[in-house]
Amino acid sequence: MDYQIARHNMVENQVRTNKVTDPLVIAAMEEVPRELFLPEGKRGIAYIDEDIPVGDGRFAMEPMVIARLMQSAEIAEADVALVIGAGFGYGSALISRVAETVVAVESNKEMASAAEAAFQKVNYDNVIVVEGELAAGYAKQAPYNVIIFDGAVCEVPAAILDQIAEGGRLLAVVREAGKVGVAKLYERENGVIGHRDLFDANIPYLPGFEPAESFVF
């Protein structure tokens, strides 16, 4: 399989056709070899326009969705970014092609190790993988100019909202129970965090961020 051709076709047919026009985001999508940031048995389907299951209840987010989240984040060259739920590292790799530094938090030790190995293979040395609880973020390096969740959440934890820098942006697909997911942009201005809806995106939940089960009596 010619991955380079498949990657270019992904950009042309999945990314550009879904309102992604930011040249930095498009260049990152053209560059990053998604197949290297997946389990070996999934590499043949690296460029399909779907979320790819990668084990332990986790998914590699649909390329179009991560591209639109990145574009909405308006990532600048000097930005420090935090990725929640790095998985095998594809989203973090894309963001690293635009931001100055990326801190990628991952709770699964095997996935964190695989992501680190992939970053080393492609010489992406501005990504730091941190093993830890996803809902805690990584306060040690806070605040961050950009925070992106690599999977849907029922709500954004306050502990992670606290890690947004002044003027910073947080992007998350929020899926309330029984509803379609909506990509939301959170921004801190003058110490106050506001948010607005961007687009529908029904991607899978990050484990641990699902809505609590409700009981019917």
Side-chain angles (χ1 to χ4, degrees):
M1 179 176 180
D2 191 322
Y3 288 117
Q4 188 170 354
I5 291 176
R7 186 158 57 251
H8 178 70
N9 289 339
M10 175 195 73
V11 173
E12 294 300 312
N13 300 323
Q14 299 175 36
V15 178
R16 289 184 185 273
T17 56
N18 279 286
K19 303 178 182 179
V20 179
T21 58
D22 186 323
L24 296 178
V25 174
I26 290 171
M29 301 294 288
E30 287 274 16
E31 175 189 339
V32 176
R34 192 182 192 213
E35 68 276 8
L36 294 184
F37 294 93
L38 290 171
E40 193 166 344
K42 301 288 185 179
R43 292 179 180 177
I45 57 171
Y47 296 101
I48 63 172
D49 59 346
E50 297 177 11
D51 306 295
I52 299 175
V54 294
D56 196 28
R58 302 290 289 278
F59 290 79
M61 192 191 301
E62 182 182 349
M64 177 273 289
V65 176
I66 185 64
R68 292 191 69 180
L69 292 176
M70 287 176 63
Q71 176 169 269
S72 300
E74 298 183 354
I75 304 169
E77 186 178 353
D79 281 349
V80 177
L82 173 69
V83 176
I84 306 295
F88 283 82
Y90 179 64
S92 304
L94 289 170
I95 295 164
S96 79
R97 300 302 83 204
V98 185
E100 181 177 61
T101 303
V102 176
V103 178
V105 179
E106 178 48 57
S107 56
N108 182 298
K109 184 175 182 179
E110 290 73 24
M111 289 183 186
S113 296
E116 284 185 327
F119 294 139
Q120 292 173 8
K121 189 167 185 177
V122 290
N123 295 316
Y124 292 176
D125 58 4
N126 63 329
V127 189
I128 303 162
V129 181
V130 177
E131 288 182 42
E133 181 187 350
L134 302 186
Y138 192 62
K140 186 176 180 180
Q141 290 291 115
Y144 300 94
N145 308 106
V146 173
I147 300 175
I148 293 181
F149 282 80
D150 204 334
V153 299
C154 64
E155 63 180 355
V156 178
I160 295 179
L161 288 172
D162 288 344
Q163 295 173 36
I164 306 173
E166 178 65 27
R169 292 82 64 206
L170 181 151
L171 279 297
V173 174
V174 178
R175 279 181 61 195
E176 297 178 18
K179 296 184 179 180
V180 173
V182 178
K184 295 178 181 282
L185 168 64
Y186 297 76
E187 298 178 278
R188 184 188 295 277
E189 297 292 344
N190 299 316
V192 178
I193 296 175
H195 75 271
R196 57 189 171 92
D197 295 352
L198 300 175
F199 58 90
D200 291 348
N202 217 27
I203 61 173
Y205 288 107
L206 276 173
F209 290 90
E210 306 93 340
E213 290 186 20
S214 58
F215 295 93
V216 178
F217 296 95

mmCIF file with all atom_site columns, all heavy atoms in Angstrom, residues 66-87:
data_model
loop_
_atom_site.group_PDB
_atom_site.id
_atom_site.type_symbol
_atom_site.label_atom_id
_atom_site.label_alt_id
_atom_site.label_comp_id
_atom_site.label_asym_id
_atom_site.label_entity_id
_atom_site.label_seq_id
_atom_site.pdbx_PDB_ins_code
_atom_site.Cartn_x
_atom_site.Cartn_y
_atom_site.Cartn_z
_atom_site.occupancy
_atom_site.B_iso_or_equiv
_atom_site.pdbx_formal_charge
_atom_site.auth_seq_id
_atom_site.auth_comp_id
_atom_site.auth_asym_id
_atom_site.auth_atom_id
_atom_site.pdbx_PDB_model_num
ATOM 1   N N   . ILE A 1 66 ? -10.249 15.927 14.041 1.00 0.00 ? 66 ILE A N   1
ATOM 2   C CA  . ILE A 1 66 ? -9.050  16.510 14.650 1.00 0.00 ? 66 ILE A CA  1
ATOM 3   C C   . ILE A 1 66 ? -8.557  17.700 13.836 1.00 0.00 ? 66 ILE A C   1
ATOM 4   O O   . ILE A 1 66 ? -8.106  18.710 14.393 1.00 0.00 ? 66 ILE A O   1
ATOM 5   C CB  . ILE A 1 66 ? -7.918  15.453 14.837 1.00 0.00 ? 66 ILE A CB  1
ATOM 6   C CG1 . ILE A 1 66 ? -6.725  16.067 15.584 1.00 0.00 ? 66 ILE A CG1 1
ATOM 7   C CG2 . ILE A 1 66 ? -7.458  14.857 13.541 1.00 0.00 ? 66 ILE A CG2 1
ATOM 8   C CD1 . ILE A 1 66 ? -6.999  16.497 16.992 1.00 0.00 ? 66 ILE A CD1 1
ATOM 9   N N   . ALA A 1 67 ? -8.695  17.640 12.500 1.00 0.00 ? 67 ALA A N   1
ATOM 10  C CA  . ALA A 1 67 ? -8.289  18.774 11.660 1.00 0.00 ? 67 ALA A CA  1
ATOM 11  C C   . ALA A 1 67 ? -9.133  20.007 11.960 1.00 0.00 ? 67 ALA A C   1
ATOM 12  O O   . ALA A 1 67 ? -8.611  21.125 12.087 1.00 0.00 ? 67 ALA A O   1
ATOM 13  C CB  . ALA A 1 67 ? -8.401  18.397 10.191 1.00 0.00 ? 67 ALA A CB  1
ATOM 14  N N   . ARG A 1 68 ? -10.435 19.820 12.115 1.00 0.00 ? 68 ARG A N   1
ATOM 15  C CA  . ARG A 1 68 ? -11.313 20.965 12.394 1.00 0.00 ? 68 ARG A CA  1
ATOM 16  C C   . ARG A 1 68 ? -11.084 21.514 13.799 1.00 0.00 ? 68 ARG A C   1
ATOM 17  O O   . ARG A 1 68 ? -11.160 22.730 14.024 1.00 0.00 ? 68 ARG A O   1
ATOM 18  C CB  . ARG A 1 68 ? -12.779 20.581 12.188 1.00 0.00 ? 68 ARG A CB  1
ATOM 19  C CG  . ARG A 1 68 ? -13.126 20.312 10.727 1.00 0.00 ? 68 ARG A CG  1
ATOM 20  C CD  . ARG A 1 68 ? -14.618 20.195 10.487 1.00 0.00 ? 68 ARG A CD  1
ATOM 21  N NE  . ARG A 1 68 ? -15.291 21.478 10.662 1.00 0.00 ? 68 ARG A NE  1
ATOM 22  C CZ  . ARG A 1 68 ? -16.602 21.667 10.510 1.00 0.00 ? 68 ARG A CZ  1
ATOM 23  N NH1 . ARG A 1 68 ? -17.376 20.632 10.192 1.00 0.00 ? 68 ARG A NH1 1
ATOM 24  N NH2 . ARG A 1 68 ? -17.147 22.856 10.681 1.00 0.00 ? 68 ARG A NH2 1
ATOM 25  N N   . LEU A 1 69 ? -10.804 20.628 14.767 1.00 0.00 ? 69 LEU A N   1
ATOM 26  C CA  . LEU A 1 69 ? -10.487 21.101 16.114 1.00 0.00 ? 69 LEU A CA  1
ATOM 27  C C   . LEU A 1 69 ? -9.202  21.926 16.102 1.00 0.00 ? 69 LEU A C   1
ATOM 28  O O   . LEU A 1 69 ? -9.123  22.989 16.727 1.00 0.00 ? 69 LEU A O   1
ATOM 29  C CB  . LEU A 1 69 ? -10.354 19.920 17.079 1.00 0.00 ? 69 LEU A CB  1
ATOM 30  C CG  . LEU A 1 69 ? -11.628 19.134 17.399 1.00 0.00 ? 69 LEU A CG  1
ATOM 31  C CD1 . LEU A 1 69 ? -11.297 17.939 18.283 1.00 0.00 ? 69 LEU A CD1 1
ATOM 32  C CD2 . LEU A 1 69 ? -12.682 20.015 18.059 1.00 0.00 ? 69 LEU A CD2 1
ATOM 33  N N   . MET A 1 70 ? -8.192  21.437 15.386 1.00 0.00 ? 70 MET A N   1
ATOM 34  C CA  . MET A 1 70 ? -6.925  22.176 15.293 1.00 0.00 ? 70 MET A CA  1
ATOM 35  C C   . MET A 1 70 ? -7.133  23.532 14.641 1.00 0.00 ? 70 MET A C   1
ATOM 36  O O   . MET A 1 70 ? -6.591  24.543 15.100 1.00 0.00 ? 70 MET A O   1
ATOM 37  C CB  . MET A 1 70 ? -5.900  21.360 14.504 1.00 0.00 ? 70 MET A CB  1
ATOM 38  C CG  . MET A 1 70 ? -5.333  20.171 15.238 1.00 0.00 ? 70 MET A CG  1
ATOM 39  S SD  . MET A 1 70 ? -4.207  19.214 14.175 1.00 0.00 ? 70 MET A SD  1
ATOM 40  C CE  . MET A 1 70 ? -2.898  20.426 13.862 1.00 0.00 ? 70 MET A CE  1
ATOM 41  N N   . GLN A 1 71 ? -7.892  23.564 13.570 1.00 0.00 ? 71 GLN A N   1
ATOM 42  C CA  . GLN A 1 71 ? -8.141  24.836 12.875 1.00 0.00 ? 71 GLN A CA  1
ATOM 43  C C   . GLN A 1 71 ? -8.857  25.815 13.803 1.00 0.00 ? 71 GLN A C   1
ATOM 44  O O   . GLN A 1 71 ? -8.489  27.002 13.856 1.00 0.00 ? 71 GLN A O   1
ATOM 45  C CB  . GLN A 1 71 ? -8.980  24.586 11.626 1.00 0.00 ? 71 GLN A CB  1
ATOM 46  C CG  . GLN A 1 71 ? -9.368  25.852 10.875 1.00 0.00 ? 71 GLN A CG  1
ATOM 47  C CD  . GLN A 1 71 ? -9.955  25.557 9.512  1.00 0.00 ? 71 GLN A CD  1
ATOM 48  O OE1 . GLN A 1 71 ? -9.249  25.496 8.528  1.00 0.00 ? 71 GLN A OE1 1
ATOM 49  N NE2 . GLN A 1 71 ? -11.262 25.354 9.447  1.00 0.00 ? 71 GLN A NE2 1
ATOM 50  N N   . SER A 1 72 ? -9.834  25.333 14.544 1.00 0.00 ? 72 SER A N   1
ATOM 51  C CA  . SER A 1 72 ? -10.587 26.193 15.461 1.00 0.00 ? 72 SER A CA  1
ATOM 52  C C   . SER A 1 72 ? -9.720  26.700 16.610 1.00 0.00 ? 72 SER A C   1
ATOM 53  O O   . SER A 1 72 ? -9.979  27.775 17.167 1.00 0.00 ? 72 SER A O   1
ATOM 54  C CB  . SER A 1 72 ? -11.793 25.432 16.022 1.00 0.00 ? 72 SER A CB  1
ATOM 55  O OG  . SER A 1 72 ? -12.664 25.017 14.988 1.00 0.00 ? 72 SER A OG  1
ATOM 56  N N   . ALA A 1 73 ? -8.692  25.929 16.962 1.00 0.00 ? 73 ALA A N   1
ATOM 57  C CA  . ALA A 1 73 ? -7.785  26.333 18.045 1.00 0.00 ? 73 ALA A CA  1
ATOM 58  C C   . ALA A 1 73 ? -6.854  27.466 17.636 1.00 0.00 ? 73 ALA A C   1
ATOM 59  O O   . ALA A 1 73 ? -6.271  28.126 18.499 1.00 0.00 ? 73 ALA A O   1
ATOM 60  C CB  . ALA A 1 73 ? -6.958  25.144 18.518 1.00 0.00 ? 73 ALA A CB  1
ATOM 61  N N   . GLU A 1 74 ? -6.708  27.690 16.321 1.00 0.00 ? 74 GLU A N   1
ATOM 62  C CA  . GLU A 1 74 ? -5.822  28.745 15.812 1.00 0.00 ? 74 GLU A CA  1
ATOM 63  C C   . GLU A 1 74 ? -4.447  28.662 16.484 1.00 0.00 ? 74 GLU A C   1
ATOM 64  O O   . GLU A 1 74 ? -3.952  29.621 17.070 1.00 0.00 ? 74 GLU A O   1
ATOM 65  C CB  . GLU A 1 74 ? -6.452  30.120 16.016 1.00 0.00 ? 74 GLU A CB  1
ATOM 66  C CG  . GLU A 1 74 ? -7.760  30.296 15.253 1.00 0.00 ? 74 GLU A CG  1
ATOM 67  C CD  . GLU A 1 74 ? -8.355  31.688 15.406 1.00 0.00 ? 74 GLU A CD  1
ATOM 68  O OE1 . GLU A 1 74 ? -7.807  32.495 16.193 1.00 0.00 ? 74 GLU A OE1 1
ATOM 69  O OE2 . GLU A 1 74 ? -9.352  31.982 14.731 1.00 0.00 ? 74 GLU A OE2 1
ATOM 70  N N   . ILE A 1 75 ? -3.832  27.492 16.384 1.00 0.00 ? 75 ILE A N   1
ATOM 71  C CA  . ILE A 1 75 ? -2.551  27.234 17.049 1.00 0.00 ? 75 ILE A CA  1
ATOM 72  C C   . ILE A 1 75 ? -1.456  28.102 16.443 1.00 0.00 ? 75 ILE A C   1
ATOM 73  O O   . ILE A 1 75 ? -1.298  28.174 15.225 1.00 0.00 ? 75 ILE A O   1
ATOM 74  C CB  . ILE A 1 75 ? -2.178  25.749 16.918 1.00 0.00 ? 75 ILE A CB  1
ATOM 75  C CG1 . ILE A 1 75 ? -3.303  24.866 17.483 1.00 0.00 ? 75 ILE A CG1 1
ATOM 76  C CG2 . ILE A 1 75 ? -0.864  25.459 17.646 1.00 0.00 ? 75 ILE A CG2 1
ATOM 77  C CD1 . ILE A 1 75 ? -3.144  23.396 17.157 1.00 0.00 ? 75 ILE A CD1 1
ATOM 78  N N   . ALA A 1 76 ? -0.706  28.769 17.303 1.00 0.00 ? 76 ALA A N   1
ATOM 79  C CA  . ALA A 1 76 ? 0.407   29.616 16.868 1.00 0.00 ? 76 ALA A CA  1
ATOM 80  C C   . ALA A 1 76 ? 1.730   28.899 17.090 1.00 0.00 ? 76 ALA A C   1
ATOM 81  O O   . ALA A 1 76 ? 1.834   27.974 17.905 1.00 0.00 ? 76 ALA A O   1
ATOM 82  C CB  . ALA A 1 76 ? 0.391   30.939 17.630 1.00 0.00 ? 76 ALA A CB  1
ATOM 83  N N   . GLU A 1 77 ? 2.748   29.348 16.390 1.00 0.00 ? 77 GLU A N   1
ATOM 84  C CA  . GLU A 1 77 ? 4.061   28.696 16.414 1.00 0.00 ? 77 GLU A CA  1
ATOM 85  C C   . GLU A 1 77 ? 4.679   28.658 17.807 1.00 0.00 ? 77 GLU A C   1
ATOM 86  O O   . GLU A 1 77 ? 5.395   27.721 18.146 1.00 0.00 ? 77 GLU A O   1
ATOM 87  C CB  . GLU A 1 77 ? 5.006   29.411 15.443 1.00 0.00 ? 77 GLU A CB  1
ATOM 88  C CG  . GLU A 1 77 ? 6.340   28.744 15.266 1.00 0.00 ? 77 GLU A CG  1
ATOM 89  C CD  . GLU A 1 77 ? 7.227   29.470 14.262 1.00 0.00 ? 77 GLU A CD  1
ATOM 90  O OE1 . GLU A 1 77 ? 6.746   30.419 13.618 1.00 0.00 ? 77 GLU A OE1 1
ATOM 91  O OE2 . GLU A 1 77 ? 8.410   29.079 14.127 1.00 0.00 ? 77 GLU A OE2 1
ATOM 92  N N   . ALA A 1 78 ? 4.387   29.654 18.642 1.00 0.00 ? 78 ALA A N   1
ATOM 93  C CA  . ALA A 1 78 ? 4.982   29.719 19.977 1.00 0.00 ? 78 ALA A CA  1
ATOM 94  C C   . ALA A 1 78 ? 4.118   29.062 21.044 1.00 0.00 ? 78 ALA A C   1
ATOM 95  O O   . ALA A 1 78 ? 4.471   29.066 22.227 1.00 0.00 ? 78 ALA A O   1
ATOM 96  C CB  . ALA A 1 78 ? 5.242   31.172 20.359 1.00 0.00 ? 78 ALA A CB  1
ATOM 97  N N   . ASP A 1 79 ? 2.984   28.470 20.662 1.00 0.00 ? 79 ASP A N   1
ATOM 98  C CA  . ASP A 1 79 ? 2.051   27.912 21.639 1.00 0.00 ? 79 ASP A CA  1
ATOM 99  C C   . ASP A 1 79 ? 2.565   26.631 22.284 1.00 0.00 ? 79 ASP A C   1
ATOM 100 O O   . ASP A 1 79 ? 3.228   25.817 21.649 1.00 0.00 ? 79 ASP A O   1
ATOM 101 C CB  . ASP A 1 79 ? 0.703   27.610 20.980 1.00 0.00 ? 79 ASP A CB  1
ATOM 102 C CG  . ASP A 1 79 ? -0.155  28.855 20.798 1.00 0.00 ? 79 ASP A CG  1
ATOM 103 O OD1 . ASP A 1 79 ? 0.199   29.919 21.366 1.00 0.00 ? 79 ASP A OD1 1
ATOM 104 O OD2 . ASP A 1 79 ? -1.171  28.768 20.078 1.00 0.00 ? 79 ASP A OD2 1
ATOM 105 N N   . VAL A 1 80 ? 2.198   26.467 23.544 1.00 0.00 ? 80 VAL A N   1
ATOM 106 C CA  . VAL A 1 80 ? 2.390   25.207 24.267 1.00 0.00 ? 80 VAL A CA  1
ATOM 107 C C   . VAL A 1 80 ? 1.021   24.548 24.361 1.00 0.00 ? 80 VAL A C   1
ATOM 108 O O   . VAL A 1 80 ? 0.056   25.166 24.827 1.00 0.00 ? 80 VAL A O   1
ATOM 109 C CB  . VAL A 1 80 ? 2.984   25.437 25.668 1.00 0.00 ? 80 VAL A CB  1
ATOM 110 C CG1 . VAL A 1 80 ? 3.105   24.113 26.415 1.00 0.00 ? 80 VAL A CG1 1
ATOM 111 C CG2 . VAL A 1 80 ? 4.346   26.113 25.560 1.00 0.00 ? 80 VAL A CG2 1
ATOM 112 N N   . ALA A 1 81 ? 0.931   23.300 23.898 1.00 0.00 ? 81 ALA A N   1
ATOM 113 C CA  . ALA A 1 81 ? -0.358  22.612 23.825 1.00 0.00 ? 81 ALA A CA  1
ATOM 114 C C   . ALA A 1 81 ? -0.386  21.391 24.731 1.00 0.00 ? 81 ALA A C   1
ATOM 115 O O   . ALA A 1 81 ? 0.632   20.728 24.949 1.00 0.00 ? 81 ALA A O   1
ATOM 116 C CB  . ALA A 1 81 ? -0.642  22.195 22.383 1.00 0.00 ? 81 ALA A CB  1
ATOM 117 N N   . LEU A 1 82 ? -1.577  21.085 25.235 1.00 0.00 ? 82 LEU A N   1
ATOM 118 C CA  . LEU A 1 82 ? -1.819  19.899 26.046 1.00 0.00 ? 82 LEU A CA  1
ATOM 119 C C   . LEU A 1 82 ? -2.839  19.033 25.322 1.00 0.00 ? 82 LEU A C   1
ATOM 120 O O   . LEU A 1 82 ? -3.889  19.523 24.896 1.00 0.00 ? 82 LEU A O   1
ATOM 121 C CB  . LEU A 1 82 ? -2.362  20.297 27.419 1.00 0.00 ? 82 LEU A CB  1
ATOM 122 C CG  . LEU A 1 82 ? -2.822  19.166 28.347 1.00 0.00 ? 82 LEU A CG  1
ATOM 123 C CD1 . LEU A 1 82 ? -1.626  18.337 28.815 1.00 0.00 ? 82 LEU A CD1 1
ATOM 124 C CD2 . LEU A 1 82 ? -3.585  19.728 29.540 1.00 0.00 ? 82 LEU A CD2 1
ATOM 125 N N   . VAL A 1 83 ? -2.533  17.745 25.171 1.00 0.00 ? 83 VAL A N   1
ATOM 126 C CA  . VAL A 1 83 ? -3.471  16.798 24.571 1.00 0.00 ? 83 VAL A CA  1
ATOM 127 C C   . VAL A 1 83 ? -3.906  15.820 25.653 1.00 0.00 ? 83 VAL A C   1
ATOM 128 O O   . VAL A 1 83 ? -3.066  15.196 26.304 1.00 0.00 ? 83 VAL A O   1
ATOM 129 C CB  . VAL A 1 83 ? -2.835  16.040 23.387 1.00 0.00 ? 83 VAL A CB  1
ATOM 130 C CG1 . VAL A 1 83 ? -3.804  14.994 22.842 1.00 0.00 ? 83 VAL A CG1 1
ATOM 131 C CG2 . VAL A 1 83 ? -2.439  17.015 22.287 1.00 0.00 ? 83 VAL A CG2 1
ATOM 132 N N   . ILE A 1 84 ? -5.208  15.689 25.825 1.00 0.00 ? 84 ILE A N   1
ATOM 133 C CA  . ILE A 1 84 ? -5.766  14.778 26.817 1.00 0.00 ? 84 ILE A CA  1
ATOM 134 C C   . ILE A 1 84 ? -6.188  13.485 26.121 1.00 0.00 ? 84 ILE A C   1
ATOM 135 O O   . ILE A 1 84 ? -7.055  13.502 25.252 1.00 0.00 ? 84 ILE A O   1
ATOM 136 C CB  . ILE A 1 84 ? -6.985  15.396 27.527 1.00 0.00 ? 84 ILE A CB  1
ATOM 137 C CG1 . ILE A 1 84 ? -6.648  16.759 28.140 1.00 0.00 ? 84 ILE A CG1 1
ATOM 138 C CG2 . ILE A 1 84 ? -7.521  14.429 28.579 1.00 0.00 ? 84 ILE A CG2 1
ATOM 139 C CD1 . ILE A 1 84 ? -5.638  16.706 29.255 1.00 0.00 ? 84 ILE A CD1 1
ATOM 140 N N   . GLY A 1 85 ? -5.552  12.369 26.484 1.00 0.00 ? 85 GLY A N   1
ATOM 141 C CA  . GLY A 1 85 ? -5.875  11.084 25.869 1.00 0.00 ? 85 GLY A CA  1
ATOM 142 C C   . GLY A 1 85 ? -5.100  10.874 24.593 1.00 0.00 ? 85 GLY A C   1
ATOM 143 O O   . GLY A 1 85 ? -5.679  10.702 23.517 1.00 0.00 ? 85 GLY A O   1
ATOM 144 N N   . ALA A 1 86 ? -3.787  10.860 24.692 1.00 0.00 ? 86 ALA A N   1
ATOM 145 C CA  . ALA A 1 86 ? -2.938  10.808 23.502 1.00 0.00 ? 86 ALA A CA  1
ATOM 146 C C   . ALA A 1 86 ? -3.096  9.513  22.713 1.00 0.00 ? 86 ALA A C   1
ATOM 147 O O   . ALA A 1 86 ? -2.882  9.501  21.496 1.00 0.00 ? 86 ALA A O   1
ATOM 148 C CB  . ALA A 1 86 ? -1.468  10.983 23.903 1.00 0.00 ? 86 ALA A CB  1
ATOM 149 N N   . GLY A 1 87 ? -3.442  8.403  23.387 1.00 0.00 ? 87 GLY A N   1
ATOM 150 C CA  . GLY A 1 87 ? -3.532  7.137  22.672 1.00 0.00 ? 87 GLY A CA  1
ATOM 151 C C   . GLY A 1 87 ? -2.203  6.772  22.034 1.00 0.00 ? 87 GLY A C   1
ATOM 152 O O   . GLY A 1 87 ? -1.154  6.855  22.677 1.00 0.00 ? 87 GLY A O   1
#
